[in-house]
Amino acid sequence: MAANLSGAVVNLAALREHAKEELMDYLDMIRGDKELVIDSNLTGPLGLVTTVPFLQQHGVANLRKLEAGALRDAARNVVYITRPTLKNMKMIARQIRGAVEGTHEYFVLFAPRKTLICERVLEEEGVLGDCTLFEFAMDLIPLDDDVLSLEMESAFRECYLDGDRTALYSVATSLMKIQAMYGTIPHIMGAGPAAKLVADMMMRMAAQSSEANMITPEIDRVILIDRAVDLVTPLCTPLTYEGLINEEFGIKNTFVWLDPAMLGPDGPSGTGRQVKHPLNSNDKLYTEIRDHNFAILGPLLHAKAEGVRQSYDMRHEVQTISDVKAYVGTFKDAQAEHKSLTVHTNITEALMRVTRADAFHRQLEAEQAMLNSVDSASTVAYIEECINKQEPLTKVLRLICILSLTLNGVKSKMFDFLRREIVQAYGFEHMFTLHNLEKLGLFKRSEGKSSFPLLVKNFNLLPDEVNEADPDDISYVFSGYAPLSVRLIELASRPGSWAAIPRPVAALIPEPMFEAQQEIPQGISLHDDLPPAAPGADPADAMRSEAAQRSRVTLVVYIGGIAYAELAAIRFLASAATDRREDFIVATTKLISGRSLMEQCMEQLETRSVGDADLAGASF
Amino acid sequence: MADTLGPAASWKSLHDRFYSKEEVYEMMWDSESINLANYIVAAAPYGGPIALYRDKTKLQEASRGRGDLISVYTSAGRLMAQIDPRATSTTSSQVVTMGWTASAHLVVVHEDGVVNVYDVHGSFVATFTAAPDAMAEGVFDAKVWAGGLVVLTTSFQMYAVEFRDETFAAIRPKKLADPELTEAPWSWAVIPPEQALSRSVEVLLATKRTVYAVDASLAQDQVVSEGPYVRMALSPSGKFVALYNAAGTLYVHTVDFDKNLSELDTKKGDLPPDQLVWCGTDSVIMYWNKVLFMVGPFSDYVNYYEDSAAAVITETDGVRIITSERCQLLRRVPNSVQSIFALGGTEPPALLYDALEHYQNNSPKAYDSISLVRDSLVDAVEACIDAAGHMFEPRLQRKLLQAASFGKCFLEMYDPTKFVEMARNLRVLNAVRFYEVGMPLTYAQYLELTPQVLINRLVNRHHHLLAYRICEFLELPTDRVLVHWACAKIVRGMGTDHELCQAIVEKLAPVKGISYVEIAETAFRRGHTELATSLLEYEPRPAQQVPLLMTMRENELALTKAIYSGDTDLVYLVLLELKQNSSMESLFRVVAGKPLAADLLATYCKSQDLEMLKDFHYQADEGHESANIMVREAYAAPTASERDRLLRQAITFYAESRESVFEANATKEQLNLLAFQTDMQRQNPGHTFVNLSLSSTIYELVVIGLVKDADKLRKHFKVPDKRYSWLMVRGLAAASNWTELEKFASKSKKSPIGFEPFAQVCIDGHVPREAAKYIPRIPSHDTKAKLWAEIGDFASAADEAFQAENVDMLIELERRASPDVASRIRTHLAKFR
């Protein structure tokens, strides 16, 4: 069900095979039946590189999630696959200590790397001697033809809030792996402090290797984007089809959970439980419509349905044997399309119920007002009403963050008011959430004049005209707002690249913006702007220019996560650039939404349920 | 054959093959004073060094001043080192035996079981005890092989030691099975693990008339009966064993004693040979006083005579013979050499070689010879190339390569790779054979040893420049050589730290990715701490740099480097090490001013050590953070009173900072709220309030009809009217308490949230009649129209839409309304046309 990756510009399937083979080697090494206990953050990623039958072939008797509580009825060999987090180590330790000694053999596979700190915690918990530790280097996982993800759920929070830069190190090592497989990437660009740290690490890691990488580069350029460069974009409501699906249903590792009725009459029925449906480029119709603005989806699907109906109707015109053959072919395609069409029509209808509602319009209005830096009083009134109605906290937090980001902080009185309102409405623990947002600079007290209008003006983030049906600019993804991060990528492909951005304008973005070249060993041909070889030229010349003939491939790396709207905008850049022959591959720590970004910043307090007996002494 | 008699003159034939013996070096040592018969001799294979030690069991002339030293020479007899075997050891007992390891370390076994290891320069490397019991019993004999040793104690117990690495650390002697001997074995041999079938050490012991095979678990009689076998030797391949019995017969068996391959009566009777060694893998040499008696696989034999006592050393392709005067090689003549130089040979390679000579003499016969071999010219060329490799004499090497080259001219397509490679290899071989270096490597040995190992051996002997040139020449990485050179330079200690550092960096800097850690470590161990630190600056791999800095107690620098690397795990390595081995104060001091380290320490403590985290924040003057922890602890507290105590404590901490006024107030309010919630929970069994937010508490109270209590909360916590109104409206609607809702609406003329929410909750609660009460109180005509339409009152809706001049809505309403209302709408609409 995972994407078949047949449309990728470089062979991304190799990455998946790599991970699969490594896992297979570990499983085969452990003799006998195995109980696989998987970190819930890894079930999704693992599902993209392997399948249950495959695991069974390699001796996995049972699969379960890693959760608190004892291991009951587990096979003799217990194999944990886990992220190197302290919380997981404690859970594992408790399970090992809880089991009868000598009944199990324990193996811990750390993905993507085994860390000292985890080893230490296992030691402190007294179970290090009981388990064998391995490193399972599954890092970048292909989600689709053009998307790679480290699937690190909370990379944003760890890097920017906790000050734990492990994710940056993982980004750097995974990019080194990419280069080991697809050749040294000659040109490195980046924006933002985290991008600079990653680039520096990559340079240092390259200096450590004593052997030159002799693989002909398949990727010509990497652009590192620090999420901190553009925090507004992921907080806004995306208006592309895929973006809205993620808003309303939540896409997890390229899958969405739907009511069975939505899959059409052929879908599984009866149970009423939600079913998993893949959303990737295996679905031709989805590939076509995923990045469209939702406003035009209704008419588009209608036209598609008409097409399907026509091809069904063709059966009346079938006369000869060869007609039948041709018809069966188109019929099959039409059938597949029909099935997909049913699903997407149902999803679209469900989404329309949301987008037609007043609430949705008011939210968009508020967002537009903030982006345009107008009428903040009525925006605040709207936010206050959301709080009063106790609408989902993530929605409220998104709004106050956009407000603060566009205004460069909220006026002191308003800041105190909103904080008090949120704590009283949503609970005391969110005092910490607000503290986190302040620490991240997402929601803060006013710090003078905002530069956001300048950013809007100089990068043309709010172009006057938007054409949703036949877009000519990336701003279509938000019906009129162009994501800054993608604008930067667009500018990088223009003549003069980032050097052409005037200094005072570049200074509006978190520093630094940088470009660097990596040394390529002699004798390796690079993609460049040489004219293609003339007909009849020396075949060696033709071979040499083969690299020059293919389109330029850029790897865009979003550190801290990328929103679906940004992904759509980048794909738009590639499709609009057919004459410039440009391909993009996107790599990121995680695909995010405004909601998931806010969830990362939220704090929960672990409470012990205080029983009535304990309350005797308390009084008001 | 024009070239006089050629190399074949000295060949001796043994059945169908020839053997050649040639002198490689005249020994550089003082031949007069060295009589090898009086020494224990240990020579490393592959042309390696020779160690000599005066044999105490032999009658000696008066000592000539060298005393009891072990002398180490090259194969050419150049003195490399002298070792006093008792100087560095804890023992004063006799040397039993010596041997060389694969890494060219000299292993010296003493009678009391102490084993000392030295490098080729005689520097002491390690010491260990080979057998726990041997200390008391004493060592009777020992055998050293390339990867370990076996000692035989005086009570005939055996212990095996295997070397893991070049540090000879973590040595664990393993006891072998007890062969239950009552008298010393006649002879014995060790089968190294890599050659043993069981992949662990085995020993062959000759006792009584048979041989025992002993491993760790059992001693097995091999049931042979021609013993006693007084001499025994294992072939270099480990597949065969040669045995000499007391009756003077030589036997060759397979190592499992299944087959007797050969048998020869030497007619020497009961005088056993001084040495029994293998010559390559297919012939055996017995040595009696200056005479070599060589037996081939078909039991033919041949004798060689030496001028003085000889040490015969097995090589993979022959033997090396060391006498007082010279170093010689005795080996089977390779086929290619034989095909060219055999007397009267007419094989194609010989003809090609002839052709070259004719050509060089301007003789037309050259072309006759060439035309004779035309059909097998490729083979002839390759034979000449191969033969060149086997030659020691550069003149012959050159001539053979010329012959090959000459032959090549007559071939249309010939891949020159073999030729080029051989020329290259010969340059390397000639360089290491040079008598100052003194490694008489044959081509076959070189191939087996591999260039990498050869380079290691050269650097171990401090031939750094030569090794470096060979690396460059063979396009091998030079890292090893340079690092070894730098370490050796530091050990020799020529110059100041600064000069040393400069000299080293100058040489190493051009090499990408070269590691400085080993060099820095050497400097540190030798007491040059500053040099070590400066060298580590150049190390590109933080993962190696940081641990060494920790060993050097350069904690602060280690932490800085770890942070710089971006590898958080490395930062943890330093932090955890410090946490374990130094005071909390010094840990905090090192971390101060390093935000990344501080954050990581906090992350770790949050999970593992909350107390430490509090101390950490406290000393860093971060009262706010300490208070945060207290709040967390409060929530995890087992009792309400404990919880409240911690919350109060947190409030005092928050109150200390102006930054956390908000938190202080919020916590105070929470404390009050919790008390109220607890109270309410007690008064209303079955309802849960504790840990709800203030808004949710008010809402719940309204739902269950405790509006008075809700109002109490409103006043106490100064809830804004708007929010309170929303909570009332939502709560009352949820309880379907429409009367109360109406009362609440009529409390004041103007509701702080307007009346739309009232109407909306009634619509959502499916009570349109209630909704109708509030719709008129809404000011906006548009909103009114929309809500009227929602409850199906299209007439009112149309009126409002008309007021609002909302044509779109009128059209929409017209479509949905009943015919009479619709006609009224049409009249409205007409007014806009």
Side-chain angles (χ1 to χ4, degrees):
Chain A
M1 288 225 286
N4 59 34
L5 306 179
S6 55
V9 285
V10 302
N11 177 19
L12 297 183
L15 270 174
R16 188 153 70 191
E17 282 309 303
H18 234 260
K20 190 173 166 181
E21 272 164 31
E22 201 184 343
L23 180 61
M24 183 184 78
D25 288 346
Y26 282 126
L27 292 177
D28 290 350
M29 201 173 64
I30 302 163
R31 298 225 180 119
D33 275 2
K34 287 163 277 269
E35 185 86 17
L36 220 53
V37 188
I38 305 172
D39 178 348
S40 53
N41 281 333
L42 281 171
T43 48
L46 274 175
L48 292 171
V49 300
T50 181
T51 59
V52 174
F54 175 85
L55 293 174
Q56 283 165 344
Q57 271 166 33
H58 294 277
V60 173
N62 196 15
L63 280 164
R64 62 170 86 190
K65 269 190 193 165
L66 174 59
E67 48 200 0
L71 269 184
R72 279 200 198 87
D73 311 318
R76 174 159 183 87
N77 296 300
V78 179
V79 183
Y80 291 98
I81 304 185
T82 175
R83 290 272 187 229
T85 64
L86 304 185
K87 201 175 139 216
N88 285 353
M89 292 311 107
K90 290 185 133 178
M91 260 194 277
I92 291 171
R94 242 171 265 143
Q95 292 191 342
I96 296 179
R97 280 197 312 252
V100 179
E101 213 166 312
T103 50
H104 297 291
E105 302 271 337
Y106 300 97
F107 303 87
V108 186
L109 266 61
F110 290 93
R113 79 190 279 236
K114 183 177 83 180
T115 64
L116 198 93
I117 184 82
C118 284
E119 220 168 305
R120 176 66 69 98
V121 172
L122 290 176
E123 192 183 346
E124 284 173 3
E125 301 282 327
V127 298
L128 185 62
D130 299 309
C131 34
T132 316
L133 312 185
F134 297 110
E135 191 165 286
F136 174 29
M138 176 178 72
D139 47 22
L140 280 173
I141 296 163
L143 299 185
D144 216 324
D145 287 347
D146 56 352
V147 189
L148 300 168
S149 171
L150 287 169
E151 294 295 281
M152 296 184 143
E153 300 287 335
S154 48
F156 178 78
R157 181 199 167 107
E158 284 159 15
C159 286
Y160 301 87
L161 183 63
D162 299 340
D164 176 354
R165 293 188 198 150
T166 306
L168 300 188
Y169 188 77
S170 298
V171 170
T173 49
S174 68
L175 290 176
M176 294 312 287
K177 186 163 140 191
I178 290 280
Q179 294 189 85
M181 292 175 74
Y182 306 110
T184 303
I185 303 173
H187 191 177
I188 298 186
M189 302 176 75
K196 181 76 175 119
L197 287 169
V198 168
D200 287 349
M201 272 189 260
M202 285 169 68
M203 296 293 192
R204 281 200 296 272
M205 288 172 185
Q208 289 173 24
S209 119
S210 46
E211 275 174 37
N213 183 346
M214 297 308 287
I215 297 171
T216 303
E218 291 182 55
I219 300 168
D220 306 293
R221 183 170 67 157
V222 59
I223 303 179
L224 302 161
I225 302 276
D226 180 350
R227 187 69 272 173
V229 162
D230 178 7
L231 286 166
V232 174
T233 299
L235 295 171
C236 294
T237 309
L239 293 174
T240 61
Y241 181 46
E242 192 166 51
L244 275 172
I245 296 178
N246 187 43
E247 279 290 306
E248 293 307 318
F249 299 98
I251 301 174
K252 285 204 174 73
N253 318 104
T254 73
F255 291 94
V256 68
W257 292 85
L258 299 173
D259 284 331
M262 291 174 82
L263 298 184
D266 305 339
S269 57
T271 59
R273 275 210 312 223
Q274 289 204 316
V275 287
K276 204 169 153 191
H277 182 76
L279 289 177
N280 58 40
S281 55
N282 293 358
D283 180 345
K284 291 284 157 287
L285 175 65
Y286 184 62
T287 311
E288 201 186 323
I289 61 175
R290 70 203 297 183
D291 299 321
H292 279 311
N293 188 295
F294 187 68
I296 64 153
L297 218 63
L300 194 82
L301 288 176
H302 187 75
K304 288 277 168 198
E306 187 60 25
V308 170
R309 197 182 56 76
Q310 274 173 12
S311 65
Y312 279 146
D313 286 349
M314 263 165 53
R315 71 180 185 276
H316 304 302
E317 291 150 34
V318 171
Q319 306 269 325
T320 67
I321 295 292
S322 63
D323 280 352
V324 171
K325 257 192 190 156
Y327 174 71
V328 168
T330 48
F331 179 77
K332 265 192 184 149
D333 289 346
Q335 219 177 14
E337 198 178 343
H338 187 185
K339 227 175 136 184
S340 159
L341 196 58
T342 313
V343 177
H344 293 297
T345 309
N346 287 330
I347 295 177
T348 302
E349 271 170 10
L351 289 178
M352 271 188 189
R353 277 194 288 279
V354 175
T355 57
R356 278 196 185 141
D358 252 6
F360 189 77
H361 281 288
R362 292 186 66 192
Q363 189 181 339
L364 286 191
E365 252 171 46
E367 284 177 14
Q368 289 292 337
M370 291 188 282
L371 293 173
N372 283 287
S373 306
V374 293
D375 206 9
S376 65
S378 62
T379 306
V380 171
Y382 169 69
I383 297 174
E384 194 191 337
E385 188 184 319
C386 291
I387 297 171
N388 290 341
K389 291 200 266 191
Q390 286 178 290
E391 292 206 14
L393 177 59
T394 48
K395 178 179 171 183
V396 170
L397 295 179
R398 277 167 84 161
L399 290 166
I400 62 166
C401 289
I402 301 176
L403 186 72
S404 171
L405 286 168
T406 51
L407 291 174
N408 190 26
V410 180
K411 287 216 181 76
S412 219
K413 229 173 125 186
M414 188 58 63
F415 182 70
D416 289 334
F417 171 73
L418 286 172
R419 283 202 297 176
R420 198 176 124 90
E421 286 293 289
I422 289 170
V423 168
Q424 287 198 348
Y426 295 96
F428 174 59
E429 63 270 30
H430 295 297
M431 175 177 91
F432 293 120
T433 305
L434 290 165
H435 181 64
N436 289 347
L437 293 178
E438 194 179 351
K439 223 168 134 185
L440 285 163
L442 283 171
F443 179 60
K444 58 182 184 186
R445 228 179 268 278
S446 178
E447 285 176 359
K449 202 170 166 346
S450 170
S451 59
F452 189 74
L454 279 175
L455 213 55
V456 166
K457 195 175 138 229
N458 284 295
F459 288 97
N460 192 24
L461 300 186
L462 296 165
D464 296 335
E465 301 282 326
V466 196
N467 186 345
E468 284 153 352
D470 184 18
D472 54 0
D473 184 74
I474 55 171
S475 62
Y476 87 93
V477 297
F478 288 106
S479 290
Y481 163 67
L484 172 63
S485 67
V486 186
R487 212 38 125 205
L488 289 176
I489 297 163
E490 192 180 13
L491 288 173
S493 293
R494 294 254 173 94
S497 190
W498 287 350
I501 302 173
R503 265 185 157 269
V505 176
L508 298 171
I509 297 166
E511 307 228 81
M513 281 175 91
F514 58 91
E515 284 191 49
Q517 300 289 339
Q518 291 206 92
E519 208 180 303
I520 303 295
Q522 284 193 330
I524 286 186
S525 62
L526 286 182
H527 173 265
D528 54 24
D529 297 328
L530 283 176
D538 183 353
D541 275 345
M543 252 165 59
R544 213 173 305 132
S545 62
E546 197 177 306
Q549 282 186 347
R550 65 170 169 80
S551 55
R552 173 168 68 178
V553 178
T554 299
L555 175 65
V556 182
V557 183
Y558 271 73
I559 304 160
I562 184 171
Y564 279 96
E566 288 170 312
L567 193 53
I570 292 170
R571 287 185 181 136
F572 171 79
L573 287 185
S575 68
T578 39
D579 51 328
R580 280 188 290 158
R581 298 187 307 138
E582 179 114 54
D583 278 308
F584 291 96
I585 302 168
V586 173
T588 185
T589 48
K590 180 80 194 165
L591 279 153
I592 55 169
S593 66
R595 190 193 308 127
S596 72
L597 199 60
M598 289 296 110
E599 275 165 357
Q600 286 187 45
C601 305
M602 275 164 45
E603 289 286 334
Q604 305 290 331
L605 277 180
E606 275 177 46
T607 54
R608 199 180 270 248
S609 62
V610 178
D612 282 311
D614 299 320
L615 300 172
S619 65
F620 182 42
Chain B
M1 309 302 110
D3 191 27
T4 64
L5 278 173
S10 63
W11 295 354
K12 290 196 175 185
S13 79
L14 203 58
H15 192 70
D16 59 344
R17 55 198 68 186
F18 289 97
Y19 282 81
S20 73
K21 191 176 83 157
E22 55 191 312
E23 176 173 328
V24 189
Y25 303 117
E26 207 170 295
M27 297 308 273
M28 292 161 80
W29 62 33
D30 176 11
S31 330
E32 298 293 305
S33 68
I34 292 178
N35 177 4
L36 291 177
N38 296 333
Y39 288 92
I40 298 176
V41 180
Y46 299 101
I50 308 161
L52 300 185
Y53 185 67
R54 198 67 62 86
D55 190 345
K56 302 289 181 208
T57 62
K58 301 246 167 94
L59 216 56
Q60 301 279 317
E61 312 156 37
S63 167
R64 281 205 199 144
R66 271 206 196 123
D68 274 345
L69 297 182
I70 297 171
S71 302
V72 180
Y73 298 94
T74 67
S75 269
R78 185 169 64 81
L79 184 67
M80 286 199 286
Q82 290 203 308
I83 301 162
D84 179 349
R86 290 173 208 171
T88 46
S89 135
T90 48
T91 176
S92 59
S93 76
Q94 290 300 328
V95 171
V96 175
T97 195
M98 309 184 290
W100 294 90
T101 71
S103 53
H105 284 89
L106 182 64
V107 176
V108 181
V109 186
H110 289 260
E111 242 174 12
D112 58 1
V114 169
V115 179
N116 291 328
V117 184
Y118 306 88
D119 68 15
V120 279
H121 306 288
S123 304
F124 173 76
V125 174
T127 184
F128 55 87
T129 307
D133 305 338
M135 283 296 225
E137 296 176 18
V139 171
F140 175 77
D141 196 7
K143 304 261 181 207
V144 180
W145 83 88
L149 63 97
V150 174
V151 294
L152 179 68
T153 68
T154 48
S155 62
F156 313 125
Q157 300 301 313
M158 288 180 290
Y159 294 87
V161 164
E162 283 182 57
F163 307 139
R164 285 153 197 277
D165 53 33
E166 291 186 25
T167 64
F168 299 91
I171 295 281
R172 268 185 232 112
K174 182 172 72 178
K175 191 173 186 299
L176 299 185
D178 184 356
E180 294 174 4
L181 299 193
T182 49
E183 50 179 11
W186 295 105
S187 62
W188 61 303
V190 175
I191 308 173
E194 63 273 16
Q195 292 182 342
L197 211 60
S198 61
R199 296 284 143 193
S200 58
V201 186
E202 290 176 22
V203 173
L204 298 176
L205 273 179
T207 180
K208 294 180 193 131
R209 291 173 64 83
T210 185
V211 173
Y212 277 43
V214 186
D215 63 15
S217 53
L218 79 168
Q220 242 180 338
D221 188 344
Q222 298 299 303
V223 214
V224 276
S225 51
E226 278 81 18
Y229 302 103
V230 292
R231 293 287 182 269
M232 185 188 297
L234 188 72
S235 75
S237 65
K239 286 190 178 122
F240 312 115
V241 58
L243 300 138
Y244 184 94
N245 75 0
T249 306
L250 176 77
Y251 297 91
V252 175
H253 286 278
T254 54
V255 79
D256 54 11
F257 289 89
D258 275 358
K259 265 190 212 147
N260 178 4
L261 299 172
S262 152
E263 187 174 331
L264 174 76
D265 184 359
T266 61
K267 305 206 169 61
K268 295 283 181 182
D270 54 1
L271 180 69
D274 298 327
Q275 297 171 46
L276 171 69
V277 296
W278 283 82
C279 174
T281 53
D282 60 359
S283 55
V284 176
I285 289 174
M286 284 161 283
Y287 172 81
W288 282 274
N289 189 25
K290 300 182 196 170
V291 180
L292 274 68
F293 185 87
M294 180 163 75
V295 182
F298 302 95
S299 303
D300 317 75
Y301 57 89
V302 62
N303 284 324
Y304 289 98
Y305 300 93
E306 299 299 331
D307 301 336
S308 57
V312 187
I313 302 134
T314 299
E315 296 282 4
T316 55
D317 61 342
V319 289
R320 185 158 32 123
I321 305 164
I322 309 283
T323 65
S324 322
E325 289 83 20
R326 58 194 119 257
C327 167
Q328 303 166 94
L329 285 178
L330 169 56
R331 55 185 169 142
R332 188 181 158 189
V333 175
N335 291 338
S336 60
V337 177
Q338 192 179 330
S339 71
I340 295 164
F341 293 112
L343 295 175
T346 53
E347 286 186 51
L351 293 173
L352 175 59
Y353 189 74
D354 276 350
L356 174 72
E357 289 205 333
H358 291 309
Y359 173 73
Q360 284 172 339
N361 297 334
N362 294 321
S363 159
K365 281 186 189 161
Y367 298 97
D368 299 343
S369 300
I370 283 290
S371 50
L372 280 174
V373 295
R374 178 130 282 173
D375 292 343
S376 39
L377 195 52
V378 174
D379 293 340
V381 168
E382 292 192 345
C384 284
I385 294 171
D386 190 61
H390 294 293
M391 292 293 124
F392 264 66
E393 226 181 293
R395 185 183 61 87
L396 285 172
Q397 294 167 354
R398 208 173 307 125
K399 210 159 161 196
L400 284 161
L401 286 179
Q402 278 170 354
S405 175
F406 181 63
K408 259 173 22 181
C409 300
F410 299 92
L411 290 167
E412 266 181 35
M413 292 274 268
Y414 184 78
D415 178 5
T417 317
K418 279 185 188 164
F419 182 89
V420 174
E421 269 182 10
M422 184 57 83
R424 218 195 268 218
N425 288 333
L426 279 173
R427 283 190 66 178
V428 174
L429 282 173
N430 290 340
V432 302
R433 286 167 185 167
F434 182 59
Y435 75 100
E436 285 283 2
V437 182
M439 292 171 100
L441 268 189
T442 65
Y443 177 58
Q445 290 166 19
Y446 168 73
L447 290 184
E448 208 165 310
L449 191 65
T450 74
Q452 283 80 3
V453 178
L454 175 60
I455 286 158
N456 280 348
R457 294 201 168 184
L458 286 172
V459 295
N460 282 340
R461 289 200 193 178
H462 290 187
H463 290 298
H464 292 113
L465 185 59
L466 176 59
Y468 185 79
R469 291 271 153 77
I470 292 176
C471 284
E472 284 190 321
F473 187 64
L474 297 180
E475 292 169 2
L476 294 171
T478 53
D479 299 35
R480 260 311 299 147
V481 177
L482 288 170
V483 168
H484 195 283
W485 165 81
C487 291
K489 201 171 174 65
I490 290 168
V491 172
R492 260 179 281 142
M494 311 278 272
T496 66
D497 277 9
H498 181 70
E499 286 164 358
L500 279 170
C501 184
Q502 264 196 323
I504 290 168
V505 172
E506 194 183 313
K507 283 273 189 313
L508 271 62
V511 185
K512 187 173 172 266
I514 195 165
S515 173
Y516 286 77
V517 162
E518 196 180 328
I519 310 169
E521 204 171 355
T522 307
F524 177 65
R525 271 193 279 112
R526 297 275 163 170
H528 301 270
T529 311
E530 239 169 83
L531 175 60
T533 317
S534 357
L535 284 170
L536 269 182
E537 274 298 311
Y538 294 91
E539 171 58 48
R541 289 169 200 78
Q544 316 231 317
Q545 183 184 38
V546 171
L548 183 57
L549 284 170
M550 299 287 297
T551 318
M552 291 166 56
R553 305 228 128 259
E554 293 277 352
N555 297 332
E556 181 114 32
L557 189 58
L559 189 56
T560 310
K561 289 290 172 193
I563 293 170
Y564 179 69
S565 78
D567 182 351
T568 40
D569 204 35
L570 217 46
V571 180
Y572 271 133
L573 175 78
V574 182
L575 289 178
L576 294 180
E577 184 75 26
L578 287 177
K579 183 171 183 276
Q580 203 157 47
N581 296 325
S582 57
S583 69
M584 216 188 277
E585 288 72 34
S586 69
L587 170 60
F588 291 163
R589 200 171 45 243
V590 175
V591 169
K594 299 185 183 68
L596 180 70
D599 284 344
L600 287 177
L601 185 63
T603 306
Y604 171 77
C605 288
K606 219 179 245 179
S607 157
Q608 297 296 92
D609 196 341
L610 271 184
E611 281 310 309
M612 180 163 172
L613 186 57
K614 272 196 276 185
D615 288 340
F616 178 62
H617 287 313
Y618 185 76
Q619 58 86 35
D621 236 5
E622 294 166 335
H624 183 104
E625 296 292 342
S626 305
N628 286 350
I629 300 164
M630 288 166 201
V631 172
R632 277 172 200 287
E633 284 181 318
Y635 271 72
T639 62
S641 56
E642 176 66 6
R643 179 192 66 197
D644 291 355
R645 187 186 67 76
L646 282 161
L647 284 179
R648 278 195 196 95
Q649 197 183 17
I651 293 168
T652 57
F653 270 78
Y654 280 133
E656 273 173 24
S657 158
R658 275 230 322 250
E659 306 285 288
S660 41
V661 176
F662 169 69
E663 280 81 0
N665 288 334
T667 313
K668 257 183 236 165
E669 285 195 350
Q670 180 64 6
L671 198 59
N672 288 338
L673 181 62
L674 281 168
F676 179 83
Q677 288 171 332
T678 315
D679 222 27
M680 291 311 293
Q681 209 156 293
R682 203 172 27 201
Q683 287 170 24
N684 301 283
H687 293 280
T688 308
F689 295 102
V690 172
N691 289 331
L692 292 183
S693 72
L694 177 60
S695 284
S696 299
T697 310
I698 293 174
Y699 175 83
E700 286 299 325
L701 289 170
V702 173
V703 171
I704 61 172
L706 300 173
V707 177
K708 266 195 189 145
D709 290 306
D711 200 53
K712 202 160 127 198
L713 282 181
R714 177 184 69 80
K715 283 188 202 126
H716 187 88
F717 292 103
K718 300 191 183 68
V719 177
D721 286 346
K722 272 190 196 171
R723 178 144 50 90
Y724 187 71
S725 300
W726 270 108
L727 292 168
M728 281 294 284
V729 169
R730 285 168 52 223
L732 292 170
S736 299
N737 196 343
W738 311 116
T739 0
E740 237 359 89
L741 183 67
E742 201 175 346
K743 257 194 232 163
F744 181 65
S746 55
K747 244 187 185 166
S748 61
K749 264 200 185 131
K750 261 175 70 184
S751 152
I753 56 172
F755 292 96
E756 190 184 343
F758 289 75
Q760 194 66 54
V761 294
C762 294
I763 294 169
D764 295 343
H766 307 293
V767 280
R769 266 194 306 157
E770 292 295 326
K773 293 177 185 165
Y774 306 108
I775 298 176
R777 301 176 73 174
I778 297 168
S780 153
H781 295 297
D782 272 325
T783 313
K784 273 192 268 198
K786 192 189 80 183
L787 293 174
W788 283 127
E790 272 187 55
I791 59 171
D793 186 343
F794 295 115
S796 308
D799 291 345
E800 295 296 341
F802 177 68
Q803 295 266 331
E805 305 184 4
N806 191 335
V807 179
D808 289 346
M809 181 170 254
L810 283 170
I811 296 169
E812 167 80 19
L813 289 168
E814 191 245 73
R815 205 173 48 73
R816 293 170 63 189
S818 59
D820 52 329
V821 178
S823 72
R824 217 171 95 199
I825 295 173
R826 277 190 291 276
T827 55
H828 281 322
L829 273 172
K831 290 173 191 151
F832 295 106
R833 292 227 167 92

